[in-house]
C-alpha cells in the first residue's frame, strides 16, 4: 500500500481496509490538531489509488469495511469518489460499508442528491469532528465551521440516509470557556442527533498552535475532574431526537462511558456524579495510558 505519512482512522474502523485516496487535510488550520501538519494536501492520482485497491483485494478479500483516508475525503469531486467506490466494489464485492472523514466545508459542497448517489455507491458512514457547539470556542480554535453550518451538514448527511458519527473535544474551551463549551456542545449534539457521538479529551501536542498558546499562558486545560464535569454537563444538555450511541471510551479520556441515548442518559449522568463527588483519582485512566 502506498501510504504517505501517518494514517489516522476512527477507532471503529480498526478492522477496516484503509485506502488512502488523499493526503492531509484541505483545512489544516485547527489550533489543536497536529495530525496533518507535516502534509500538504493533495488528492492522489487514480492509478495509485486503483493499485492500492487491487492490492487490498489480493489479501483474500478478508475485510468487509473500507475506510478512505486522509482528513476530509468528501472534498474529492463526485466523479472521482464514485469511480473509487465502484472500483472497490468491483474488486472486493464483499465490502458492505465505506467510511470517510468529512469536514463541514466538504459536506456543504455536496448536494443531498449527490450524497444519496454516494450512499448508493457504498458510502455508509461519515465521521465529522465538530469539536464544540460554542461559537467562540470554534472561532478561537480556527475550526472554520460554526454551529449553524455544522447543523446543516448533519441534516444533509442524515437526509441522504448515511450514518453520521460526530466527535467533540472535552477541554477545548479551556478553563475560561469550560462551562459554555460543555453546555453548548451538549445542546448542539442533541440538535443534530447523530447516530454516534464521541467525546474525546484534548491532548495538547507540542507542534500545535494550542501548545504555543498554553506555553504563553493564554490557554489552560481544566483539570481531570473539570473535564469530567464538562462531560456531565454535555450529557445533561444533550436531548437527542433519535437513538444515539454516545461514548467517551477513547484512549484520550480519563473515564470511559458508553450509553445508548436517550435511554441510558440518566444512568451515565449518575455514574459521572458518583465519580466526580468521590474525588477518587484512582478510578481514572492513568496519564501514561492516555493517547490520541
Ligand atoms: S481537526 Fe480535522 S479539519 Fe481540523 S485540521 Fe485536523 S483534520 Fe483538518
Amino acid at each position: 500500500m502506498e501510504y504517505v505519512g501517518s494514517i489516522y482512522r476512527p477507532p471503529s474502523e480498526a478492522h477496516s481496509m484503509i485506502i488512502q485516496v488523499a493526503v492531509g487535510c484541505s483545512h489544516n488550520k485547527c489550533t489543536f490538531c497536529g495530525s496533518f501538519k507535516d502534509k500538504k494536501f493533495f488528492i492522489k492520482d487514480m492509478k495509485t489509488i486503483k493499485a492500492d485497491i487491487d492490492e487490498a483485494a489480493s489479501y483474500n478479500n478478508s475485510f468487509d469495511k473500507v475506510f478512505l483516508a486522509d482528513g476530509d475525503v468528501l472534498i474529492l469531486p463526485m466523479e472521482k469518489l464514485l469511480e473509487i467506490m465502484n472500483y472497490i466494489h468491483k474488486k472486493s464485492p464483499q465490502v458492505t460499508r465505506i467510511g470517510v472523514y468529512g469536514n463541514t466545508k466538504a459536506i456543504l459542497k455536496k448536494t443531498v442528491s449527490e450524497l444519496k448517489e454516494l450512499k448508493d455507491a457504498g458510502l455508509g458512514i461519515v465521521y465529522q469532528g465538530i469539536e464544540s457547539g460554542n461559537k467562540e470556542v470554534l472561532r478561537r480554535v480556527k475550526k472554520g465551521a460554526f454551529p449553524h453550518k455544522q447543523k446543516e451538514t448533519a441534516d444533509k448527511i442524515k437526509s441522504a440516509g448515511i450514518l453520521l458519527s460526530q466527535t467533540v473535544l472535552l477541554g477545548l474551551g479551556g478553563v475560561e470557556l469550560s462551562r459554555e463549551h460543555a453546555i453548548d456542545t451538549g445542546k448542539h449534539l442533541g440538535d443534530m442527533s447523530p447516530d454516534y457521538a464521541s467525546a474525546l479529551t484534548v491532548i495538547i501536542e507540542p507542534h500545535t498552535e494550542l501548545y504555543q498558546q498554553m506555553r504563553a499562558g493564554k490557554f489552560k486545560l481544566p483539570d481531570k475532574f473539570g473535564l469530567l464535569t464538562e462531560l456531565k454537563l454535555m450529557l445533561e444538555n444533550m436531548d437527542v431526537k433519535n437513538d444515539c450511541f454516545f461514548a467517551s471510551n477513547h484512549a484520550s479520556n480519563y473515564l470511559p462511558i458508553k450509553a445508548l441515548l436517550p435511554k441510558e442518559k440518566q444512568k451515565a449522568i449518575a455514574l459521572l456524579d458518583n465519580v466526580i463527588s468521590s474525588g477518587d483519582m484512582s478510578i481514572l485512566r492513568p496519564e501514561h495510558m492516555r493517547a490520541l
Side-chain angles (χ1 to χ4, degrees):
M1 296 300 230
E2 205 192 277
Y3 292 146
V4 179
S6 309
I7 300 288
Y8 298 89
R9 48 118 189 107
S12 54
E13 299 284 343
H15 303 293
S16 305
M17 179 58 69
I18 312 283
I19 306 285
Q20 189 184 34
V21 301
V23 174
C25 161
S26 67
H27 178 58
N28 215 9
K29 292 191 180 86
C30 301
T31 61
F32 57 88
C33 175
S35 301
F36 303 112
K37 286 285 180 277
D38 58 335
K39 294 178 179 177
K40 190 166 166 40
F41 180 77
F42 70 91
I43 298 169
K44 285 183 163 180
D45 62 81
M46 197 51 93
K47 196 172 153 219
T48 310
I49 296 169
K50 285 189 172 172
D52 278 358
I53 296 170
D54 289 341
E55 188 181 333
S58 73
Y59 303 149
N60 298 324
N61 275 340
S62 54
F63 53 92
D64 61 359
K65 290 188 185 126
V66 170
F67 181 74
L68 303 178
D70 274 345
D72 58 346
V73 163
L74 276 186
I75 201 85
L76 269 67
M78 278 300 287
E79 311 72 55
K80 193 150 188 170
L81 279 170
L82 290 171
E83 191 176 345
I84 292 167
M85 292 200 261
N86 290 335
Y87 195 67
I88 288 170
H89 285 299
K90 184 176 163 200
K91 291 292 177 163
S92 300
Q94 80 288 356
V95 169
T96 55
R97 190 178 89 182
I98 298 174
V100 294
Y101 282 126
N103 72 26
T104 301
K105 189 173 78 184
I107 299 168
L108 286 178
K109 284 185 182 222
K110 301 273 184 282
T111 63
V112 173
S113 68
E114 284 175 330
L115 291 167
K116 279 184 178 156
E117 236 185 297
L118 294 174
K119 157 104 180 4
D120 292 342
L123 182 62
I125 187 162
V126 171
Y127 298 90
Q128 186 187 23
I130 61 155
E131 330 305 357
S132 179
N134 181 273
K135 205 171 165 185
E136 176 59 14
V137 173
L138 289 170
R139 189 192 65 75
R140 288 187 189 184
V141 302
K142 302 183 182 167
K143 184 66 194 173
F146 288 118
H148 67 290
K149 288 289 175 194
Q150 293 175 332
K151 168 78 166 75
E152 238 181 83
T153 62
D155 290 346
K156 278 180 137 181
I157 297 288
K158 291 175 78 177
S159 306
I162 299 169
L163 291 174
L164 179 62
S165 177
Q166 296 181 316
T167 52
V168 297
L169 280 174
L170 299 171
L172 197 61
V175 170
E176 191 189 345
L177 295 176
S178 177
R179 191 175 165 78
E180 294 91 325
H181 167 58
I183 293 173
D184 291 348
T185 303
K187 286 181 180 166
H188 192 34
L189 283 172
D191 202 19
M192 293 185 289
S193 292
D195 302 281
Y196 303 95
S198 310
L200 280 61
T201 298
V202 187
I203 290 185
I204 304 178
E205 298 178 87
H207 51 295
T208 58
E209 204 178 323
L210 193 60
Y211 179 79
Q212 300 303 332
Q213 290 171 3
M214 189 181 72
R215 297 261 300 177
K218 293 180 184 158
F219 180 87
K220 189 168 183 269
L221 256 187
D223 63 18
K224 294 175 187 180
F225 287 99
L227 291 164
L228 291 182
T229 303
E230 279 192 10
L231 185 57
K232 181 178 161 247
L233 276 171
M234 217 174 259
L235 274 170
E236 281 173 347
N237 285 280
M238 188 172 167
D239 293 320
V240 291
K241 304 176 194 83
N242 49 258
D243 280 355
C244 168
F245 184 75
F246 181 89
S248 73
N249 58 344
H250 187 266
S252 61
N253 292 323
Y254 287 104
L255 187 73
I257 296 237
K258 283 183 186 175
L260 179 64
L261 304 180
K263 202 172 142 205
E264 296 171 342
K265 174 172 159 170
Q266 293 312 325
K267 200 170 131 200
I269 291 170
L271 172 68
L272 279 161
D273 255 339
N274 282 340
V275 173
I276 293 166
S277 58
S278 79
D280 183 357
M281 296 271 197
S282 70
I283 304 172
L284 308 182
R285 179 177 275 137
E287 209 60 56
H288 69 275
M289 290 180 70
R290 293 178 63 234
L292 272 180

